[in-house]
Amino acid sequence: MIKLGVLCSGRGTDLQSIIDAIADGKLNAEIAVVLTDKPNVMALERAQKAQIKNLCIDRKKFDSKADFETALLNELKAAGVDLVILAGFMRILSPSFVHEYKERIMNIHPSLLPSFPGAHAHRDVLAYGVKISGCTVHFVDEGTDSGPIIMQAAVEVKDDDTEETLAARVLEQEHIIYPKAIQLYVEGKLEIVGRKVISTP
Ligand code: GAR
């Protein structure tokens, strides 16, 4: 069984979609550990409720990013994690961390990459005035939101959307495609060829 290590920063609804997909038998994986970079966030409560090992590695308690990432890596390795899942984890991982789990880190981003990378995707989408947005599951490389794309889903942007209404519409799709993308990985169906991901039938 593939062991997942899920990294979160907040509310944890993407985490919940993975917990639920496993419970429903749609995702054949085990969440070995949930780690957060902040204390007292809902993601920890969700993990607790599902009886999954969970731990806050509080970024504020570390002098450097390197020390913080070493602590994360130690926990992931101790839990025997095969695939790292970034689920609303609002920090950029350094190249050395990415190398440790090369081609074994997935992220979900709330826009149709390569449009609107970064921390304020919905705000940027609304400011630009695009008519379609969505979400993207991708492998993490050394850049920001730049790795090979695994799966995307589109949603309409409405004239009266706010960041909140758009985020809610996109989240519905996130909760569908993230577990599916992880299941493809579990089935060994994702092949990275250059910057493309080919999903074999
Ligand atoms: C999700 O919309 C996810 O795509 C986004 O944060 C939200 C987390 O929601 N991630 C990023 O913006 C990463 N740069 P959640 O805490 O309810 O899962």
Side-chain angles (χ1 to χ4, degrees):
M1 184 84 81
I2 293 257
K3 289 188 176 182
L4 309 177
V6 185
L7 272 51
C8 304
S9 295
R11 190 178 44 177
T13 67
D14 283 328
L15 164 67
Q16 190 66 53
S17 74
I18 296 164
I19 293 172
D20 293 346
I22 292 172
D24 292 347
K26 293 178 184 160
L27 174 55
N28 300 315
E30 173 197 338
I31 303 178
V33 67
V34 170
L35 300 174
T36 69
D37 61 335
K38 290 184 192 141
N40 307 318
V41 291
M42 261 182 74
L44 290 168
E45 284 174 38
R46 292 177 190 275
Q48 191 84 38
K49 199 170 168 205
Q51 294 177 316
I52 297 165
K53 183 182 174 195
N54 61 92
L55 201 66
C56 169
I57 311 273
D58 191 346
R59 173 65 182 90
K60 291 208 178 102
K61 296 207 166 135
F62 294 86
D63 290 337
S64 70
K65 180 169 177 170
D67 289 349
F68 166 67
E69 289 190 348
T70 299
L72 284 179
L73 281 170
N74 286 343
E75 290 300 333
L76 292 170
K77 292 194 170 157
V81 165
D82 303 298
L83 179 67
V84 178
I85 300 293
L86 308 185
F89 187 66
M90 301 308 281
R91 292 190 183 276
I92 308 295
L93 296 168
S94 66
S96 60
F97 185 106
V98 173
H99 287 151
E100 286 283 339
Y101 274 94
K102 191 174 159 56
E103 298 179 349
R104 292 191 297 140
I105 308 174
M106 278 188 197
N107 181 41
I108 190 155
H109 181 76
S111 77
L112 293 176
L113 292 172
S115 293
F116 309 110
H120 309 288
H122 301 305
R123 187 193 305 173
D124 297 343
V125 160
L126 293 175
Y128 199 97
V130 294
K131 301 298 184 194
I132 294 174
S133 189
C135 49
T136 303
V137 180
H138 64 93
F139 284 112
V140 172
D141 66 6
E142 292 81 358
T144 302
D145 301 326
S146 56
I149 290 172
I150 301 165
M151 204 177 275
Q152 293 183 301
V155 306
E156 183 189 354
V157 180
K158 298 186 177 167
D159 289 343
D160 60 352
D161 262 335
T162 61
E163 281 184 51
E164 289 70 31
T165 59
L166 177 59
R169 195 173 313 114
V170 171
L171 261 185
E172 277 180 30
Q173 296 303 315
E174 294 188 31
H175 299 159
I176 295 169
I177 69 168
Y178 212 2
K180 277 191 187 166
I182 300 167
Q183 178 62 16
L184 289 178
Y185 180 95
V186 167
E187 292 173 7
K189 288 183 174 167
L190 298 179
E191 189 191 350
I192 301 176
V193 183
R195 70 148 296 109
K196 288 190 188 169
V197 178
I198 313 290
S199 48
T200 51

